Amino acid sequence: MQGQASAQATAAADVVTTFGAFFLYPGRHLLLKDDEPVTIGSRALDILIALTERAGELVTKDELIARAWPNAIVEESNLRAQIALLRKVLGDDQAAARFIAAVPSRGYRFIAPLSHSQVENRADATAAPNNLPRQLTRPIGRDEAIKVVEGRFHRSRLVTIVGPGGIGKTTVAISVAEQMSSSYKHGLCFLDLAPLTNSQLLPSILASELRLPETSGDPTASLITYFREKRLLLVLDSCELVLGATALLAETLLREAAQINILATSREALRVEGESVYRLPPLEMPPLTAGLTAADALEFPAIRLFVERATSSGSEYRFDDDEAPLVTHICRQLDGIALAIELAAGRVEAFGTRGIAELLNDHLRLLTGGRRTALPRHQTLAAMIDWSYGALPEGERTVLRRLAVFAGDFGREAAHALAEDIECDVSTQLAHLVAKSLVAADARGKVARYRLLDTTRAYVLHKLREKGEFDGVMRRLANYLCDALERSHEEVEALSSDEWLLRYGPHINNVRFVLDWAYADSGDVEIGSAVTVAAIPLWYQLSLVDECLTSVRRALLGIDPGERRDEHARQIMQLYRALGLAQAFKVGFAPQAPAAFGKALEISEQLGDVDAQAEALWGLWFAQVGMGEYRASLRNAERFLTLAQSGLDRFIGDRMLSMTLFCMGDFRGSRRHADLMLAHDVSVEAASASSVRFRFGQSVSARIQPAQLLWMQGFPDQAIRAVEAAVEAARVSGHAISLCEALARWSCPVLVHIGELAAADAAITELLDLAKMNALGPWEVFGRCWKAALLIQRGLSESGVPLLRNGLAELRQVKLFTLYNVRFLGFLADGLSSLGQHAEALALVEEAISASEEKEELWCVAELRRLKGDILRRGGGGMESAEQCFLQSIDLARRQDALSWELRATISLAQLTRDRGDPASARQLLAAVYERFTEGFDTADMRAARALFAETS
């Protein structure tokens, strides 16, 4: 049926009517001007289509009103208003009409020349993003509502459809969005909020639906950045459970993103400034009059909906004059609520209309004490669900109760896991529930997914608690999640990131639901702890670092401090490992991170678990490198390598040693371990997602880590290639943190040092945009620091110095990777000196040298000593002192095998020697270093060397 509808829509869209600069696609209800969609109401567009269909002919007022307002009586002034709007859109002048001419007292005529043609349908190629759920049946009786809601957008950017549950708010919203889709260049985004119980997660859920990488903080800033340049319709469905959060987010987005519109559905208004509220009425029903015929009754949409659903269910039901009063009674008892009418119609085959009316009456009388109007409308829907639930066989009822614990969609395997103890065929029961509209099925993917309607789920959860089954089923759900997530650990390397997240990402809502139960008064903290441990890889794959940190802390606090704590030692160890990593990325490398990894190491040693010890040692090393504790990190890297039991661990161990030795300025040792790292064949070894040392792509780190080392040792071309390959691998991984790290810690410094300033600018811009979009504050600070360094390198110190000064202050606060702090101090000193502030510049560079030597962070101390010499030269501090700094820099660079640092220091010394009047010696000094290079002759330093050769010739 859906395929036929699509085919018909495609065929209709192939006809285009052309006049002036306009292209009218009647089948798609779309008007373009110069290939851009024209914003126009549906009624005005209906009138335009009617006029162009009979171009040159008189179309009467009555005909146009019937076309734009079918089955409605309206004043002629409404038609005049739509004609005026249409003329305004077309740029027509009533005094000298080009397109639409009025025939006084009679109607209107389309007078412009036009042509009709068949065009190749390019919908697939040009369609904007659109994730609207597909409606398999046409909405009945909602034409007027759809047009009214659509019209509201002419004067308001936020329209909320309000009404009781089941009345058809979602159906109308989807239909409105479909009608308006052509007006939004960047498409539509539909977000179902029904499964959401924690309002704080709303921005994260929206960011996930938009395929924005998840962040550790509030992603609202990322959403603002995404929406700011978009012309897009955002549809927020079922807002009632998170009303406050929805209102806040809607108000923020509308204020910050001027081109988006929002269509919301809720049981009550959002109460946001500028909101236009449309209260969706019940489906219209016949009045209570005698002698109602079937023909008369079918004029009302509530009756048409009931009859269409009853006859389409496969029954032999016939609607005639005898049935008309009975069906009218049923629809009135259901208050014209579309969902309730559909549920009732679906039971005609089982009970007949008279049986439905009797059951319905009994339940209504039971719930209201004979006064149905005494209860709110949503309880009328509850009565319908209660009746529908009571009509189920016991097996189906039991399965439905089990399914109610799923927060969102689920698969057939999950349904079996929760109902495997029931003596029935779960698949058959599930199929019956789908057929009876109590479970919705989505079979568009390779495997069908199921979900309960939110009103049905709320009702059945209540029944589950009434039966005293809730805790037992929640334990089953927890066990299922632990098993499923354990399998996910094994598949994290076998599947692509997208496939893995498609398969296991939906479990996140169930994890949240189980943990909320487990840590409630009647829950089970032991189960909560087990699910928390199982979910750690899922949180990291989704980049939900903040949620992981909160959950891990809660689990640790919930573990009994008594004797039984020893029984959970392995679980506690895993929680501490996750705590250390989450703290590192949430609050930076403060003492809490190494303390957590230290506790995990202590427990792993008590357990005698070598692999777990390696895990904890990796974490300690990771935190210590970040905090600049290089001697301690070196010891832990060496301990890790002694424990390595696989080629993959030896690969990681050599990477750890290479990194630490690089920071300490031992470039020969760093290169030796980098070569060993790259020599390991780990392509056939699978990593476990439960291991934190495998949490972030090691292949990306392995490619990029030697890049800066290659530049320092005199291989800039190889360094550039390593950077490009690694950054591309990080992009392909789709992991925002990995890409930020690659850009901030390796790509930006290599490009800035080599002098590829345009490429550096592009990398810094990408880093800043990515960090801002994903609310990754520490990397955004990194980006600003590199931006400032780039400005100083370009001679724009007036802008670069204050930016870098502020950035350094922030960098010290976030405590994330102190490796570049001293280098940034060097850039700042260089910038200050170029502005004539030599005394402060000298003090800063001396502070950087002292800090480097104290912490054994010697990777750039040769460059810092060269900078000190340059500052002394500029500030008149004495040629001898400057020369001494240059000689110290050259000596240290040679001992470190840092040919690029040596070249820089030699250029500075040669310039000093030239200025003393000895160009021959200057040339000789420079040639001895220049001739040792085999590549990179177009870098900034090599060009400077050649310029100095020319000056001293």
Side-chain angles (χ1 to χ4, degrees):
M1 184 173 180
Q2 182 66 36
Q4 292 172 356
S6 298
Q8 291 166 1
T10 301
D14 285 342
V15 179
V16 59
T17 301
T18 307
F19 54 91
F22 295 94
F23 299 87
L24 176 62
Y25 294 83
R28 287 195 283 176
H29 223 244
L30 173 65
L31 179 65
L32 301 180
K33 181 179 181 181
D34 298 326
D35 287 334
E36 289 293 327
V38 176
T39 302
I40 182 173
S42 62
R43 287 198 176 93
L45 196 53
D46 283 337
I47 292 169
L48 178 61
I49 292 170
L51 289 170
T52 56
E53 286 174 350
R54 294 166 57 184
E57 299 179 23
L58 170 67
V59 184
T60 68
K61 296 175 184 179
D62 290 342
E63 289 173 321
L64 292 174
I65 288 173
R67 182 69 171 262
W69 291 273
N71 303 317
I73 299 173
V74 298
E75 296 293 333
E76 187 180 314
S77 60
N78 291 314
L79 175 61
R80 289 198 298 269
Q82 294 298 321
I83 291 289
L85 174 64
L86 189 53
R87 281 175 165 157
K88 182 178 179 181
V89 168
L90 298 177
D92 214 351
D93 186 348
Q94 188 171 0
R98 293 184 301 141
F99 296 107
I100 299 173
V103 180
S105 303
R106 298 181 64 192
Y108 298 89
R109 180 182 286 117
F110 192 86
I111 59 174
L114 54 72
S115 63
H116 301 287
S117 59
Q118 295 282 332
V119 296
E120 181 182 354
N121 191 315
R122 298 179 297 157
D124 291 341
T126 60
N130 182 336
N131 69 335
L132 283 177
R134 297 178 183 177
Q135 299 197 101
L136 301 181
T137 57
R138 61 181 181 84
I140 294 176
R142 293 305 189 189
D143 293 348
E144 180 64 18
I146 291 166
K147 289 181 179 180
V148 170
V149 173
E150 183 180 349
R152 297 283 182 93
F153 281 100
H154 290 301
R155 59 181 186 271
S156 179
R157 295 175 57 214
L158 168 62
V159 179
T160 304
I161 304 173
V162 172
I167 201 167
K169 302 183 294 294
T170 301
T171 297
V172 171
I174 292 172
S175 299
V176 169
E178 288 174 344
Q179 292 271 28
M180 299 178 65
S181 61
S182 62
S183 299
Y184 293 93
K185 181 178 180 181
H186 298 103
L188 313 172
C189 176
F190 179 91
L191 187 64
D192 179 13
L193 303 182
L196 190 59
T197 57
N198 185 344
S199 61
Q200 295 179 350
L201 297 176
L202 174 56
S204 299
I205 300 301
L206 177 55
S208 176
E209 185 66 41
L210 293 167
R211 300 187 68 81
L212 302 181
E214 294 281 354
T215 69
S216 60
D218 183 2
T220 301
S222 305
L223 292 170
I224 290 170
T225 301
Y226 175 83
F227 282 121
R228 186 162 282 148
E229 301 302 324
K230 297 287 191 297
R231 173 143 181 80
L232 178 144
L233 178 63
L234 177 60
V235 183
L236 301 176
D237 188 44
S238 302
C239 304
E240 51 269 7
L241 295 182
V242 287
L243 202 65
T246 306
L248 178 61
L249 181 61
E251 196 166 55
T252 301
L253 293 179
L254 289 170
R255 183 176 60 248
E256 300 292 339
Q259 298 188 76
I260 72 164
N261 287 347
I262 297 177
L263 175 58
T265 73
S266 177
R267 295 182 188 179
E268 59 180 297
L270 300 184
R271 294 192 293 276
V272 170
E273 182 181 356
E275 178 187 25
S276 177
V277 178
Y278 177 76
R279 186 167 295 277
L280 186 64
L283 290 173
E284 192 177 0
M285 295 167 287
L288 290 173
T289 57
L292 182 69
T293 65
D296 292 335
L298 286 172
E299 292 294 320
F300 297 88
I303 308 302
R304 290 203 304 273
L305 176 63
F306 184 98
V307 173
E308 180 165 314
R309 296 298 183 264
T311 55
S312 66
S313 64
S315 69
E316 299 295 323
Y317 176 70
R318 291 181 60 187
F319 183 68
D320 54 26
D321 290 349
D322 291 336
E323 284 286 295
L326 194 55
V327 172
T328 298
H329 170 73
I330 291 171
C331 291
R332 294 191 68 84
Q333 292 291 83
L334 295 174
D335 282 346
I337 295 176
L339 176 59
I341 291 171
E342 291 194 54
L343 289 170
R347 301 298 179 268
V348 167
E349 184 177 19
F351 301 106
T353 52
R354 192 167 302 278
I356 290 172
E358 291 172 356
L359 286 170
L360 191 58
N361 286 335
D362 286 343
H363 278 268
L364 284 171
R365 197 173 297 118
L366 176 65
L367 287 173
T368 65
R371 293 193 307 109
R372 183 177 59 81
T373 55
L375 286 180
R377 287 177 181 268
H378 73 272
Q379 293 188 355
T380 301
L381 181 58
M384 185 66 250
I385 299 174
D386 184 49
W387 159 81
S388 184
Y389 173 83
L392 293 174
E394 182 56 35
E396 291 179 19
R397 267 190 265 176
T398 304
V399 171
L400 185 62
R401 288 198 302 272
R402 301 288 178 94
L403 299 181
V405 298
F406 287 114
D409 64 305
F410 56 91
R412 189 164 56 88
E413 177 191 9
H416 274 268
L418 265 61
E420 61 186 358
D421 61 318
I422 302 173
E423 294 182 2
C424 64
D425 185 335
V426 177
S427 293
T428 300
Q429 305 292 353
L430 181 59
H432 289 166
L433 293 170
V434 171
K436 294 173 181 179
S437 303
L438 288 166
V439 174
D442 182 353
R444 287 175 292 177
K446 294 180 180 178
V447 179
R449 303 290 295 176
Y450 306 92
R451 68 181 295 270
L452 271 66
L453 298 174
D454 59 312
T455 48
T456 305
R457 179 173 182 259
Y459 172 89
V460 181
L461 275 175
H462 177 70
K463 286 293 183 183
L464 190 67
R465 290 185 173 97
E466 273 189 349
K467 287 276 190 178
E469 300 171 341
F470 181 71
D471 290 343
V473 178
M474 289 302 292
R475 286 185 170 85
R476 285 186 173 276
L477 177 59
N479 290 334
Y480 164 72
L481 285 174
C482 288
D483 291 342
L485 293 174
E486 185 65 34
R487 291 196 301 274
S488 81
H489 302 174
E490 300 165 2
E491 294 185 348
V492 72
E493 293 293 323
L495 300 175
S496 69
S497 177
D498 287 346
E499 288 177 314
W500 193 94
L501 288 174
L502 185 65
R503 184 172 298 181
Y504 296 106
H507 287 309
I508 190 65
N509 285 329
N510 293 320
V511 167
R512 292 164 179 158
F513 189 55
V514 166
L515 292 181
D516 286 345
W517 162 78
Y519 290 101
D521 292 341
S522 61
D524 188 324
V525 294
E526 289 190 15
I527 288 178
S529 180
V531 172
T532 301
V533 170
I536 289 168
L538 179 62
W539 280 314
Y540 277 103
Q541 289 293 326
L542 293 169
S543 296
L544 296 174
V545 179
D546 192 45
E547 186 175 335
C548 179
L549 179 59
T550 301
S551 300
V552 166
R553 282 174 172 166
R554 180 173 59 182
L556 285 168
L557 288 172
I559 295 176
D560 190 341
E563 293 182 4
R564 292 203 63 199
R565 190 177 180 90
D566 293 340
E567 299 176 16
H568 303 288
R570 186 170 299 280
Q571 213 171 66
I572 295 170
M573 174 189 68
Q574 292 172 299
L575 290 170
Y576 271 117
R577 286 198 318 236
L579 179 67
L581 195 62
Q583 284 177 323
F585 285 101
K586 175 64 178 174
V587 299
F589 288 109
Q592 297 96 316
F597 283 119
K599 185 67 176 176
L601 178 60
E602 177 187 333
I603 297 172
S604 66
E605 288 173 339
Q606 292 170 359
L607 293 172
D609 188 330
V610 174
D611 188 68
Q613 290 173 44
E615 279 279 276
L617 285 168
W618 181 91
L620 272 173
W621 166 86
F622 183 63
Q624 289 162 346
V625 167
M627 295 176 68
E629 297 176 0
Y630 299 112
R631 186 60 59 181
S633 76
L634 182 63
R635 288 194 296 270
N636 283 320
E638 290 169 341
R639 286 182 65 188
F640 180 97
L641 204 53
T642 62
L643 294 176
Q645 297 178 324
S646 66
L648 190 56
D649 270 347
R650 287 189 289 276
F651 164 90
I652 295 171
D654 281 315
R655 175 179 172 257
M656 292 162 66
L657 282 168
S658 177
M659 176 69 185
T660 300
L661 292 172
F662 172 85
C663 297
M664 298 176 73
D666 182 357
F667 299 144
R668 289 191 181 92
S670 178
R671 180 64 181 272
R672 181 173 66 256
H673 284 285
D675 290 341
L676 288 170
M677 170 185 69
L678 296 173
H680 290 302
D681 181 12
V682 296
S683 59
V684 296
E685 297 191 45
S688 168
S690 62
S691 302
V692 295
R693 63 186 187 271
F694 304 123
R695 193 63 34 74
F696 305 105
Q698 295 292 344
S699 62
V700 172
S701 300
R703 289 178 181 178
I704 204 162
Q705 185 168 305
Q708 193 160 203
L709 181 61
L710 285 167
W711 173 75
M712 288 186 180
Q713 293 189 313
F715 304 103
D717 292 345
Q718 294 180 50
I720 289 289
R721 289 195 294 272
V723 164
E724 290 173 346
V727 169
E728 181 58 28
R731 285 198 192 99
V732 171
S733 76
H735 198 269
I737 293 176
S738 296
L739 182 53
C740 280
E741 184 179 2
L743 290 167
R745 296 181 58 216
W746 305 107
S747 178
C748 292
V750 167
L751 294 170
V752 169
H753 285 139
I754 285 177
E756 294 284 347
L757 301 188
D761 195 8
I764 292 166
T765 300
E766 181 179 6
L767 170 62
L768 286 169
D769 289 346
L770 186 66
K772 187 173 184 179
M773 179 173 288
N774 293 281
L776 296 172
W779 280 273
E780 193 172 354
V781 176
F782 255 52
R784 287 197 293 271
C785 288
W786 282 119
K787 182 70 174 179
L790 181 63
L791 289 170
I792 292 169
Q793 290 289 90
R794 285 176 161 170
L796 302 172
S797 296
E798 296 88 348
S799 302
V801 164
L803 183 61
L804 187 52
R805 201 189 295 273
N806 293 335
L808 270 168
E810 290 182 89
L811 205 58
R812 293 188 184 103
Q813 288 179 346
V814 298
K815 300 176 182 176
L816 183 68
F817 298 115
T818 62
L819 176 63
Y820 289 103
N821 287 18
V822 291
R823 184 65 187 101
F824 287 137
L825 279 175
F827 282 121
L828 182 57
D830 193 22
L832 287 167
S833 180
S834 70
L835 295 174
Q837 300 175 38
H838 304 299
E840 185 181 358
L842 187 60
L844 275 176
V845 78
E846 286 177 342
E847 176 190 339
I849 292 170
S850 176
S852 294
E853 292 175 344
E854 180 182 344
K855 294 170 60 178
E856 297 184 84
E857 188 177 311
L858 303 176
W859 71 277
C860 68
V861 75
E863 172 66 357
L864 293 174
R865 290 192 176 280
R866 184 197 69 80
L867 278 172
K868 180 180 177 181
D870 273 353
I871 293 167
L872 288 169
R873 278 184 64 207
R874 295 172 191 161
M879 292 292 189
E880 291 77 12
S881 297
E883 181 180 26
Q884 191 63 29
C885 288
F886 297 145
L887 290 171
Q888 289 173 350
S889 175
I890 291 169
D891 177 64
L892 181 57
R894 284 176 180 168
R895 285 188 282 114
Q896 289 182 324
D897 196 22
L899 183 58
S900 290
W901 286 151
E902 184 181 351
L903 176 63
R904 285 193 169 189
T906 303
I907 289 173
S908 293
L909 181 60
Q911 289 170 337
L912 179 66
T913 304
R914 175 202 60 191
D915 293 345
R916 283 173 167 172
D918 189 358
S921 295
R923 183 179 178 83
Q924 185 178 2
L925 279 170
L926 192 55
V929 179
Y930 186 92
E931 291 170 357
R932 288 159 56 196
F933 279 85
T934 59
E935 64 178 57
F937 296 103
D938 197 37
T939 62
D941 289 340
M942 296 294 272
R943 291 196 301 270
R946 287 198 296 275
L948 192 53
F949 278 137
E951 293 174 18
T952 55
S953 297

